[in-house]
Amino acid sequence: MSLAVGMSWQVAASSTEFGGEWKGTFECGPMLVGTAGAGLSQSMTMTVRQGGVQTNRATDKYREELRGRIGADKSIQLEGEGHYTADSFPPWQTKLAGSFSGNRLMASGAVFGLDGTKRRDCKADLTRVAGTSEQVQVHAAAPQVSSFYSNSYELVKSLEDGRSGKIAYKSVSRNTTVGDLKSGRVFLNDTVHAVLSLPSTGKAPYPVMVIAHSSAGVQNKDRDWARWFNEQGIATLLVDTFTPRGITQSATDQSVLYYGATIGEYLVALKLLATHPAIDIKRAGIIGFSRGGVAAMATGIESIRRGTIGGDLKYAVHFPVYGGCTYRADRWTGAPMHQFVGSEDSYEDIEICRGWQEQAKAKGVDANLTVFPGVHHGFDNSDQMALRQFPNAEYWKDCKVEWNVDAGQFRSARHPYWHSDNSMVEETAACKNRGVTVKYDEKATADLKAAVREKLKQVGFI
């Protein structure tokens, strides 16, 4: 993945070996907000394999894992989530930054609440206790998209200067509704961050893929997707809609950012990309995951597209990945869509997804649906190797909602007839549940990439 034209993100050999097992301490100062709490000092373990780093803090009361990759300058940024075994306590997020020096790692950072409020200042000090014979490979410094360590996102109104790397742009207000988008009530009051990466292969102007993150914010796997598309000769715009707004995650409360805002900002991104001289905007696609998958689908609804950015600018292909199948429309943009979901997904009702495919096909869309048997939500995230439960995450699977945004009508399990969407918020609140599972699936991820690549060939991206 390139940081600038001609500069590629490549693997470089390190002369220093960091592989092995590490042990040390994790220390935090007193609570900065809320109930007063003393400082803490706890043991921490860490494993380094092939440049990948995973730390662990665990007792019978809580568990926390942080992950990251070693940079060419021996730096490391670690991010992850912790949670108590008791469901009544909310999870938290920890972020650390530091550097390796021989057999020692020192890092500092903080623990944050779900609302982004810093709760404690913390630091870690670890020493390698068992090495490996591997020659560790580290990656040249890659764009750190969702990072509270850097403020180097330059606000731009245009990309006509041909830049790449970190940018910030004005986007729709966080409380924007889908109705606002349709009616053109779009106000660019918020700022979002993004990293634009141009491929080191191929010839400009390049096709481009916009990457929409999930309710967990930008993760390592999103950066991996950007690199994978770059390897196919496709530019990428990886957008971070959370960090500039002070949001760490939305899984436990999706109302912290309205879905209309999430959908609208990816259309605004498309309009911005159209100003870049090295981008072929007629070959712009979008891939989104979970919450971002909703945007990857809904940006293909013509009334939403037209009300938000006007003109005839549109995405040429849409890839919603475990992204929800609620939306129906009387008129789509006509671009092909391919939804991917696992049969065991906690969020998605497969029959509702089949209903989306049937309705979209009837409206002339090349709509495809792939269901991976036995596969869970988040199946492309290799940071979730084992089945993991998130007891506080919201889901609406049992509602079985179908929403025709053009007709202003919906139906659901409770009311299986089409009626005004004026009552949809109240009805979905009544059938909301909590508790989802996620798990990586290597085969499903490989099959997903193969299917995406085949579709990109068909539409002329590759």
Side-chain angles (χ1 to χ4, degrees), residues 419-438:
H419 58 293
S420 172
D421 60 8
N422 289 335
S423 62
M424 190 168 70
V425 172
E426 292 79 5
E427 182 158 334
T428 54
C431 59
K432 179 179 70 176
N433 288 302
R434 292 184 184 270
V436 304
T437 58
V438 298

Side-chain angles (χ1 to χ4, degrees), residues 388-427:
R388 184 175 176 185
Q389 294 184 337
F390 291 86
N392 294 314
E394 300 174 328
Y395 73 92
W396 290 264
K397 181 177 182 177
D398 298 335
C399 300
K400 299 184 184 296
V401 170
E402 299 173 79
W403 181 27
N404 187 318
V405 299
D406 290 331
Q409 295 183 329
F410 82 107
R411 61 184 179 184
S412 65
R414 294 178 64 192
H415 297 98
Y417 52 87
W418 291 102
H419 58 293
S420 172
D421 60 8
N422 289 335
S423 62
M424 190 168 70
V425 172
E426 292 79 5
E427 182 158 334

Side-chain angles (χ1 to χ4, degrees), residues 201-207 283:
T201 60
K203 184 179 179 180
Y206 304 104
R283 291 189 294 162

Side-chain angles (χ1 to χ4, degrees), residues 155-295:
L155 185 65
V156 299
K157 294 182 179 180
S158 170
L159 299 174
E160 60 186 6
D161 60 0
R163 72 176 63 207
S164 60
K166 293 182 179 181
I167 62 171
Y169 64 91
K170 301 300 289 185
S171 189
V172 299
S173 302
R174 67 191 298 161
N175 60 350
T176 301
T177 66
V178 171
D180 291 334
L181 298 179
K182 288 171 53 186
S183 64
R185 295 191 300 269
V186 178
F187 303 97
L188 304 185
N189 293 328
D190 287 12
T191 300
V192 298
H193 291 169
V195 172
L196 173 61
S197 301
L198 303 179
S200 58
T201 60
K203 184 179 179 180
Y206 304 104
V208 63
M209 187 64 61
V210 176
I211 302 173
H213 65 72
S214 73
S215 298
V218 175
Q219 301 172 284
N220 290 331
K221 63 103 173 176
D222 300 309
R223 301 182 183 100
D224 291 341
W225 272 105
R227 181 172 60 177
W228 183 81
F229 281 116
N230 290 162
E231 291 170 350
Q232 316 304 312
I234 299 171
T236 54
L237 185 74
L238 177 49
V239 181
D240 180 1
T241 69
F242 280 6
T243 302
R245 293 183 169 109
I247 300 171
T248 57
Q249 56 86 26
S250 65
T252 56
D253 181 7
Q254 296 293 354
S255 69
V256 296
L257 182 64
Y258 285 16
Y259 273 99
T262 296
I263 297 164
E265 51 207 1
Y266 291 104
L267 289 166
V268 175
L270 180 65
K271 193 171 184 178
L272 180 64
L273 285 169
T275 67
H276 199 294
I279 297 296
D280 180 0
I281 202 61
K282 292 188 180 297
R283 291 189 294 162
I286 181 169
I287 186 169
F289 306 90
S290 194
R291 181 187 179 98
V294 174

Side-chain angles (χ1 to χ4, degrees), residues 18-22 44-56 65-71 74-80 96 98 100 105 107 126 134 136-139 220 383:
F18 299 119
E21 304 301 321
W22 298 63
M44 172 181 272
T45 61
M46 182 173 76
T47 301
V48 179
R49 292 285 186 273
Q50 294 296 315
V53 179
Q54 177 179 333
T55 72
N56 181 65
E65 292 181 358
L66 309 181
R67 293 177 182 266
R69 294 197 68 83
I70 304 172
K74 304 179 185 179
S75 66
I76 183 71
Q77 292 190 5
L78 294 163
E79 298 185 16
L96 300 173
F100 288 84
L105 169 65
L126 297 106
E134 68 179 8
V136 177
Q137 290 185 320
V138 298
H139 290 74
N220 290 331
D383 286 345

Side-chain angles (χ1 to χ4, degrees), residues 23-73:
K23 290 184 178 180
T25 58
F26 178 82
E27 298 180 348
C28 294
M31 288 289 289
L32 301 174
V33 295
T35 305
L40 60 87
S41 179
Q42 299 168 335
S43 62
M44 172 181 272
T45 61
M46 182 173 76
T47 301
V48 179
R49 292 285 186 273
Q50 294 296 315
V53 179
Q54 177 179 333
T55 72
N56 181 65
R57 289 193 301 132
T59 68
D60 59 344
K61 295 182 178 179
Y62 66 84
R63 179 179 179 84
E64 177 192 81
E65 292 181 358
L66 309 181
R67 293 177 182 266
R69 294 197 68 83
I70 304 172
D73 58 354

